[in-house]
């Protein structure tokens, strides 16, 4: 077992422990830290999947923007003023664990029964140039739609903040 | 696809994506606050992206459509988070709490 495999196992464990910490921790700040560790782990898995551009985008967008946004929301509306208990009733916890485990078993069986075919080319090598070609040649319309969606989301967030302030 | 190094195995990536999906479902179902549900939703979206990239890498490595769709997912997740956090802060200003179970004015 070489160093690459050991690092891969560490990254995978990091991702899984981060996901568990995100879901099970009692405080929202700890949940956000677990989310950040999960996002870093997924970025490492992207590097192992030969997609370094995607790993960089993951760190920039998710770790840099989304988690900071969540941190601001926690600080504006979160446990510092109200201290809400995250743990719900026992029956709800057991029910959600049952739903989660059942869906895990179903999808796991589906994965195991599907005959995955190996692709023809051995090494997967998609460069940033190829991604740009796909974005601006073949998928130009969805790309424009996504940019429109982001603009609408920004305008919507600003409008929500403004109107709530005017009404007090 | 199988054999060789551990990180050249498709099933490990699918298993990790499935694990992220199931922990996300667990969080969405049993978290009390709206922000906790939103954080769990991010886990589900990350699992979907990991799934797409792994299938692109192992099953059809000719072109990069999986990577491109994962970038689309990132854009959609960012805008969704912005809107949802704006709504959550509005809810907090109006009701002084962000617990999902107590928001049932439209249900009654």
């Amino acid at each position: 077992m070489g160093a690459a495999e050991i690092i891969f196992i560490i990254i995978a464990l990091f991702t899984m422990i981060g996901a568990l910490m995100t879901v099970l921790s009692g405080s929202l700040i700890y949940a956000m830290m677990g989310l950040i560790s999960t996002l870093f782990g997924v970025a490492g898995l992207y590097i192992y999947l030969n997609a370094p551009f995607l790993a960089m985008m993951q760190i920039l967008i998710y770790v840099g923007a989304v988690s900071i946004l969540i941190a601001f929301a926690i600080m504006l509306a979160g446990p510092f003023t109200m201290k809400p208990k995250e743990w719900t009733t026992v029956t709800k916890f057991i029910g959600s664990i049952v739903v989660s485990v059942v869906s895990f078993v179903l999808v796991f069986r589906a994965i195991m029964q599907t005959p995955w075919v190996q692709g023809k080319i051995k090494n997967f090598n998609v460069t940033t140039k190829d991604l740009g070609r796909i974005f601006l040649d073949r998928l130009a319309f969805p790309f424009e739609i996504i940019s429109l969606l982001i603009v609408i989301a920004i305008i919507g967030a600003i409008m929500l903040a403004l109107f709530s302030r005017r009404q007090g | 696809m199988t054999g060789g190094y551990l990180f050249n195995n498709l099933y490990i990536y699918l298993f990790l994506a499935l694990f992220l999906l199931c922990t996300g479902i667990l969080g969405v179902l049993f978290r009390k606050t709206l922000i906790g549900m939103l954080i769990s939703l991010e886990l589900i979206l990350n699992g979907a992206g990991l799934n797409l990239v792994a299938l692109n890498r192992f099953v059809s490595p000719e072109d990069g459509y999986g990577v491109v769709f994962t970038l689309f997912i990132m854009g959609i997740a960012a805008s969704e988070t912005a809107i949802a956090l704006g709504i959550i802060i509005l809810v907090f200003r109006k009701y002084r709490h962000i617990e999902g179970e107590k928001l049932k004015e439209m249900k009654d």
Side-chain angles (χ1 to χ4, degrees), chain A residues 8 33 36 45 48 50 67 77 80 94 101 117:
Chain A
F8 177 76
M33 297 309 287
I36 291 175
L45 293 177
Y48 270 97
N50 282 342
S67 26
F80 294 122
I94 291 173
V101 169
V117 283

Side-chain angles (χ1 to χ4, degrees), chain A residues 82-142:
Chain A
M82 297 290 290
K83 284 199 185 301
K85 286 285 286 180
E86 275 293 332
W87 289 91
T88 50
T89 56
V90 180
T91 55
K92 195 176 172 187
F93 185 61
I94 291 173
S96 46
I97 278 187
V98 165
V99 170
S100 175
V101 169
V102 165
S103 57
F104 186 90
V105 170
L106 286 179
V107 184
F108 193 76
R109 281 184 59 199
I111 286 175
M112 281 304 170
Q113 284 171 359
T114 308
W116 302 106
V117 283
Q118 170 80 52
K120 294 188 180 74
I121 308 171
K122 274 291 180 189
N123 50 346
F124 174 70
N125 192 13
V126 172
T127 57
T128 313
K129 188 180 166 188
D130 297 338
L131 290 183
R133 286 218 171 276
I134 291 177
F135 266 129
L136 293 181
D137 269 357
R138 283 171 280 183
L139 294 180
F141 187 64

